[in-house]
Amino acid sequence: MSPGQPQPAQPAQPSQPSQPWAQPPAGQPYYGSQPAYAPYYPNQSKPKPSFPFKELFDLKFENFISIKVAGVVYAIGIILDVLFAFGLWVTFISSAMALNEYGGAEGLVALAVLSIIPIVLVLFLSILVWRVTLESIVALIRIAENSTTLVKNTAKLGEKDEKSAKG
């Protein structure tokens, strides 16, 4: 390009913030792998890695493990309910075969099909009761956790009010 000739306009390069947690100026999008704004909380520390079963041996019961294991307990409960229902069905069919009151294979097949309906209803109700029970336990524990947090925060506010009243 010779001097004196107008130069073509260069496309504007997106400006990236110098700090990854800083928000870009208004109207300028952030082009990068990081989000435009990552919150920074100076008073909070990162959680320290701890022994996975630490809550299991917490003799003061300050931390609850019920919420963490509720899904596993529910899955085990469903498996046990299905096994129980299957065992009930097999027992019902085998006792009918022992009594031999249903007139051969056709009667036994009809009995097997008809006996599934009440067993499935019992299975459904058992799983429903299991779910409601676990949800109730989890709700009570969340209420306890939230109450503990509320008491701690109220105590902190009381301490701040006392300090500001003295100072």
Side-chain angles (χ1 to χ4, degrees):
M1 301 227 138
S2 63
Q5 288 185 345
Q7 295 183 359
Q10 298 289 329
Q13 297 292 328
S15 63
Q16 293 186 359
S18 60
Q19 300 168 335
W21 59 84
Q23 195 169 11
Q28 292 185 0
Y30 178 69
Y31 298 102
S33 62
Q34 298 293 323
Y37 175 75
Y40 172 68
Y41 302 105
N43 294 334
Q44 293 182 353
S45 61
K46 292 182 180 178
K48 298 175 184 174
S50 64
F51 180 62
F53 299 107
K54 179 182 175 186
E55 289 89 8
L56 190 61
F57 301 106
D58 180 17
L59 300 178
K60 295 179 182 178
F61 289 92
E62 293 175 347
N63 299 314
F64 300 105
I65 63 169
S66 301
I67 293 175
K68 296 173 186 171
V69 299
V72 174
V73 171
Y74 182 59
I76 291 171
I78 288 174
I79 292 169
L80 291 176
D81 283 344
V82 168
L83 290 174
F84 175 75
F86 181 71
L88 187 64
W89 183 67
V90 168
T91 303
F92 187 72
I93 297 301
S94 63
S95 65
M97 286 175 60
L99 292 175
N100 199 12
E101 293 184 5
Y102 291 97
E106 297 87 18
L108 191 60
V109 169
L111 177 66
V113 170
L114 290 175
S115 66
I116 287 179
I117 296 170
I119 291 174
V120 168
L121 287 175
V122 168
L123 175 65
F124 174 74
L125 290 175
S126 175
I127 291 173
L128 182 67
V129 167
W130 195 231
R131 176 68 186 211
V132 169
T133 303
L134 285 174
E135 283 181 1
S136 300
I137 292 169
V138 168
L140 285 172
I141 290 171
R142 286 195 175 144
I143 289 170
E145 287 176 340
N146 292 338
S147 298
T148 304
T149 304
L150 188 65
V151 167
K152 287 179 182 178
N153 290 342
T154 304
K156 287 179 184 177
L157 285 175
E159 291 173 3
K160 286 182 182 178
D161 287 344
E162 288 175 8
K163 287 180 182 178
S164 65
K166 290 179 182 177

